[in-house]
Amino acid sequence: MRITSIIENTSVNELPVEHGLSLYIQRNNGQKILFDMGQSHLFADNAELLGLSISDVDIAIISHGHYDHGGGLKTFLDLNQKAKVYVHEKAFQPHYSLRETGLREIGIESTFKGHEQVILCGDHTTICSDMTLFANVEGNCCNPEGNRLLFGPSKTEHDDFCHEQNLIIQEEGKSVLFAGCAHRGIINILQKTEEILGHAPTHVLAGMHLVKSGLKEQEENTFIQELCSHLQSYTETMFFTMHCTGTDQYHKMKAFLGEQISYLSCGEELII
């Protein structure tokens, strides 16, 4: 499996970036998958610069209903008229972020909900025998503190992220978990993955939403240490993080996890 980051907050090779995520996955069986689409047309521009064709994508997935993961949907549908786009049925509901100037809409364009290529998912969707989407993650272990700033579907209720879905791909003895922002908490998502698979994933690619925690430095350090302690218990799992984890937070995690964790920037490629 070859995974290329085509949208991420940072770049190591001068590709243009934006706050968002998009991963181009090429499976060994030839199947091409797009996991998230950033917030604009930039994912397609970067794919072209990297020699990757959006029109060749066979399956697309939007992890949750925020603009920085599904804002590129119009561009995708303009460029690709064959791929099914798997989106949780509640992802098109309104979503908001609390900023200094008040609540800002951060949802994805609801007019695409009825598009013929869009498949509305429930809490468990089997795409094929070795590819599964799941939502409805429960638990409160190390849930991101930044969630306090996120609301929906109304402006007065905190988002419960029932619209957040995660992808498992099984291939040649490997089990790879993809989580866009892990708003429901990466540890809780890992536990749900174990329930589905019967074992831990071998690889995890996930934003972990450690930015905008609102915690004081020592409190944040304690939180990250607790999170890493849980991650270390997954002794056979390699972690690759990005996007909303935050680079400063990543370096703190790296100090605990060492070679068990790496950062995947825009333009970088991972072969599993």
Side-chain angles (χ1 to χ4, degrees):
M1 189 185 309
R2 185 184 303 267
I3 304 161
T4 307
S5 173
I6 57 176
I7 287 293
E8 204 275 324
N9 302 26
T10 66
S11 176
V12 294
N13 56 5
E14 300 184 355
L15 278 180
V17 302
E18 65 186 16
H19 174 80
L21 181 65
S22 184
L23 302 175
Y24 195 104
I25 306 164
Q26 300 172 83
R27 299 191 61 186
N28 291 346
N29 63 7
Q31 193 174 48
K32 298 176 178 64
I33 303 160
L34 188 70
F35 184 84
D36 284 339
M37 305 171 183
Q39 59 175 284
S40 71
H41 59 82
L42 188 58
F43 79 96
D45 297 344
N46 282 352
E48 184 175 2
L49 289 171
L50 292 166
L52 304 171
S53 174
I54 296 301
S55 63
D56 287 343
V57 168
D58 300 299
I59 294 170
I61 292 153
I62 294 178
S63 63
H64 60 294
H66 290 171
Y67 76 105
D68 51 330
H69 296 259
L73 180 55
K74 180 182 186 304
T75 297
F76 180 82
L77 295 173
D78 286 343
L79 295 174
N80 186 310
Q81 287 81 52
K82 67 171 185 176
K84 300 299 185 184
V85 183
Y86 291 81
V87 190
H88 194 276
E89 59 189 357
K90 296 182 179 179
F92 290 102
Q93 293 179 340
H95 300 286
Y96 306 92
S97 175
L98 182 60
R99 310 291 173 87
E100 292 182 0
T101 55
L103 285 178
R104 174 188 169 188
E105 292 187 18
I106 60 167
I108 58 179
E109 181 53 61
S110 61
T111 57
F112 294 112
K113 184 175 182 179
H115 194 281
E116 62 182 0
Q117 289 175 246
V118 171
I119 304 297
L120 298 178
C121 302
D123 290 340
H124 189 101
T125 301
T126 300
I127 299 176
C128 57
S129 62
D130 55 7
M131 191 153 47
T132 302
L133 286 169
F134 68 92
N136 193 29
V137 173
E138 299 179 348
N140 294 297
C141 182
C142 296
N143 285 358
E145 294 289 335
N147 286 347
R148 77 194 187 286
L149 302 174
L150 299 170
F151 294 79
S154 79
K155 296 180 179 180
T156 57
E157 59 184 315
H158 282 96
D159 199 331
D160 64 3
F161 306 104
C162 60
H163 56 98
E164 181 180 67
Q165 56 184 3
N166 311 280
L167 171 66
I168 301 171
I169 300 177
Q170 299 178 76
E171 182 173 277
E172 298 181 3
K174 307 292 176 58
S175 302
V176 187
L177 169 67
F178 297 85
C181 273
H183 286 289
R184 286 297 302 138
I186 190 60
I187 303 303
N188 305 313
I189 294 169
L190 278 164
Q191 291 172 349
K192 183 77 170 184
T193 303
E194 288 184 283
E195 291 177 16
I196 294 169
L197 292 175
H199 57 81
T202 58
H203 299 79
V204 174
L205 287 91
M208 299 186 188
H209 201 63
L210 301 183
V211 296
K212 298 182 180 179
S213 69
L215 298 173
K216 296 179 180 179
E217 183 176 3
Q218 187 54 51
E219 292 173 329
E220 182 174 85
N221 290 343
T222 299
F223 179 91
I224 290 174
Q225 184 172 2
E226 180 184 357
L227 173 62
C228 289
S229 178
H230 286 287
L231 293 176
Q232 282 177 321
S233 69
Y234 289 86
T235 55
E236 303 300 318
T237 304
M238 296 294 297
F239 297 95
F240 300 87
T241 196
M242 59 212 74
H243 179 44
C244 58
T245 299
T247 52
D248 290 343
Q249 291 81 357
Y250 161 70
H251 288 300
K252 292 178 181 180
M253 296 182 73
K254 184 74 171 175
F256 287 105
L257 296 174
E259 295 303 310
Q260 194 177 5
I261 192 168
S262 300
Y263 197 95
L264 194 66
S265 291
C266 186
E268 290 191 307
E269 184 179 88
L270 172 65
I271 297 177
I272 294 176

